[in-house]
Amino acid sequence: AISACEKAGNWEHALQLVGVMSYRQVQTDSTTLGAFIGACAKAGKWENALLFCSALALRKVEPNTITFNSTITACEKSAEWENALQLVNVMAQIAIESNTITFSSAISACEKGGEWEKALQLIGWMVQSKIELNTIAFNAAISACEKGGPW
């Protein structure tokens, strides 16, 4: 049911379902909570996604690449590039594997925030980490340069 809310971007209903699950002491996992964070991302509710991601440990749920990527995507949709970069750094610090989606979303957040230098730094990090570069990452970086670069 929470996945259906995610697809529809209906974060309020997803939150209600998570609340009912918690009230009834139904164990939630990273997939369920990732779907809630995804619903927040679709609705542009980056604050809720960030708060929920940071509270995963309180629910005794290990965050994973999917939950972080969903949260970074929520930040990207609202041009919250600083939060997106912080999440990428946290992933590295706690040894959660980042991937093309992680970096593409963070680069897009930088692009939307006019942070072309940060976008290019992320491209460099991808190369250094041997993470596959894709068209989305390149286009976002190019767009960031176009919007905020000195040329």
Side-chain angles (χ1 to χ4, degrees):
I2 294 177
S3 292
C5 292
E6 176 186 17
K7 287 182 178 119
N10 193 335
W11 70 276
E12 294 103 337
H13 284 117
L15 180 60
Q16 287 175 349
L17 289 169
V18 170
V20 168
M21 291 174 75
S22 181
Y23 177 76
R24 296 191 182 221
Q25 298 179 340
V26 174
Q27 182 66 35
T28 54
D29 60 14
S30 59
T31 303
T32 302
L33 299 177
F36 169 73
I37 293 169
C40 291
K42 269 201 164 165
K45 297 293 183 182
W46 66 271
E47 302 100 328
N48 297 54
L50 196 58
L51 181 64
F52 216 80
C53 185
S54 63
L56 289 177
L58 298 174
R59 294 181 164 274
K60 296 184 173 105
V61 174
E62 287 291 321
N64 61 23
T65 304
I66 295 169
T67 54
F68 270 93
N69 284 353
S70 294
T71 308
I72 292 168
T73 298
C75 292
E76 176 257 325
K77 290 190 182 303
S78 298
E80 286 293 321
W81 64 272
E82 291 170 300
N83 287 312
L85 293 181
Q86 184 176 12
L87 288 165
V88 173
N89 285 318
V90 168
M91 288 177 76
Q93 290 169 2
I94 62 176
I96 292 180
E97 184 178 346
S98 54
N99 59 25
T100 304
I101 295 168
T102 307
F103 282 95
S104 295
S105 296
I107 292 166
S108 291
C110 291
E111 178 257 329
K112 289 178 180 165
E115 293 294 323
W116 64 273
E117 292 168 317
K118 299 291 185 192
L120 294 180
Q121 288 173 1
L122 288 169
I123 292 285
W125 191 352
M126 288 179 81
V127 170
Q128 182 181 3
S129 302
K130 297 181 176 35
I131 294 172
E132 180 183 348
L133 290 153
N134 65 3
T135 306
I136 295 168
F138 279 124
N139 285 344
I142 291 167
S143 180
C145 291
E146 178 183 50
K147 288 179 181 175
W151 35 80

